[in-house]
Amino acid sequence: MLASARFLLTAACLAVSAQAAYNPTCSNNVVTYWGQNSWGGAHLSDPANWEGSLASYCQDATFDIINISFVTNFNLTGLPVLNHAFHCETVFNGTNTLHCPDIGTDIKLCQANGKKIVLSLGGGNIYTYGLSSAADGQAFADTIWNMFLGGSSVYRPYDDAVLDGVDLDIESGDHTGYPAFISQLRSHFLSASKQYLISATPQCVYPDANL
């Protein structure tokens, strides 16, 4: 019976994968990053092969989770700064924070297709982010909750689209403040009407000093 149950679970996971929908009970979900157009940055004369819209990848059965990259500056005394390569260049008046309604529309389309869309914090070769204390971590969690997740703010980069969680791609600094950041996010999740994800992207060598 145990072998049969395991086979049925595996078959169920494969069926879900064929439909390209995230399933938390499976270990074969596929995660990718979107928003940096790395090919385009190195091949400016080849726009035909630049990174496409977020919606275009949500029509691909390969991916179950897409991390939108990146929040490159936490800007703890103001509004966080995002970088989405050429996908969005408009900012809220008087700020350096992107306002991307078209990406918001794509996020909702992706979620309707069973994808999880997660906001990635950090990134490589950009060293303007970090937390210096537990209090910073808690305050930043409140900002992320209100601007990108289930809270409310006049500054919502993707308008009324509600992302499915956060990804920590922390490649600089140290781990100060991140445990408090995660704990504060989880406190918001307790009263939420949907489930949220928290993921991390460790670097080699493991364990990653930054995480």
Side-chain angles (χ1 to χ4, degrees):
M1 288 297 293
L2 181 60
S4 296
R6 185 177 299 120
F7 172 79
L8 290 173
L9 177 61
T10 301
C13 287
L14 289 173
V16 168
S17 293
Q19 299 169 16
Y22 169 73
N23 187 336
T25 67
C26 297
S27 61
N28 60 347
N29 294 290
V30 176
V31 184
T32 191
Y33 282 82
W34 174 89
Q36 290 302 291
N37 189 31
S38 56
W39 172 268
H43 301 82
L44 295 177
S45 62
D46 187 21
N49 287 308
W50 287 2
E51 185 175 66
S53 68
L54 176 61
S56 68
Y57 295 98
C58 289
Q59 298 169 15
D60 189 329
T62 304
F63 308 119
D64 304 296
I65 302 174
I66 298 179
N67 292 335
I68 296 182
S69 56
F70 289 106
V71 176
T72 59
N73 187 330
F74 297 172
N75 193 20
L76 300 175
T77 59
L79 299 175
V81 177
L82 301 100
N83 181 304
H84 293 328
F86 69 91
H87 294 292
C88 177
E89 302 295 337
T90 304
V91 298
F92 288 104
N93 288 337
T95 79
N96 291 319
T97 298
L98 292 177
H99 183 206
C100 311
D102 290 345
I103 295 178
T105 298
D106 284 3
I107 289 168
K108 290 185 284 188
L109 179 122
C110 293
Q111 291 169 330
N113 288 343
K115 314 290 187 180
K116 296 294 184 182
I117 307 298
V118 173
L119 179 69
S120 189
L121 312 177
N125 301 318
I126 303 168
Y127 302 116
T128 54
Y129 58 82
L131 303 167
S132 59
S133 66
D136 280 350
Q138 291 175 335
F140 187 52
D142 291 340
T143 297
I144 294 299
W145 172 255
N146 287 323
M147 291 181 64
F148 299 96
L149 304 176
S152 61
S153 171
V154 295
Y155 299 106
R156 286 191 64 96
Y158 313 121
D159 287 348
D160 61 346
V162 178
L163 294 174
D164 295 299
V166 298
D167 167 67
L168 299 172
D169 186 9
I170 307 304
E171 301 184 36
S172 68
D174 59 32
H175 62 269
T176 299
Y178 292 106
F181 170 78
I182 291 172
S183 294
Q184 183 71 358
L185 277 184
R186 285 176 170 165
S187 72
H188 287 298
F189 296 169
L190 289 174
S191 59
S193 60
K194 63 180 283 183
Q195 289 189 325
Y196 290 93
L197 304 174
I198 299 175
S199 63
T201 308
Q203 311 298 305
C204 295
V205 179
Y206 181 83
D208 183 348
N210 297 324
L211 284 176

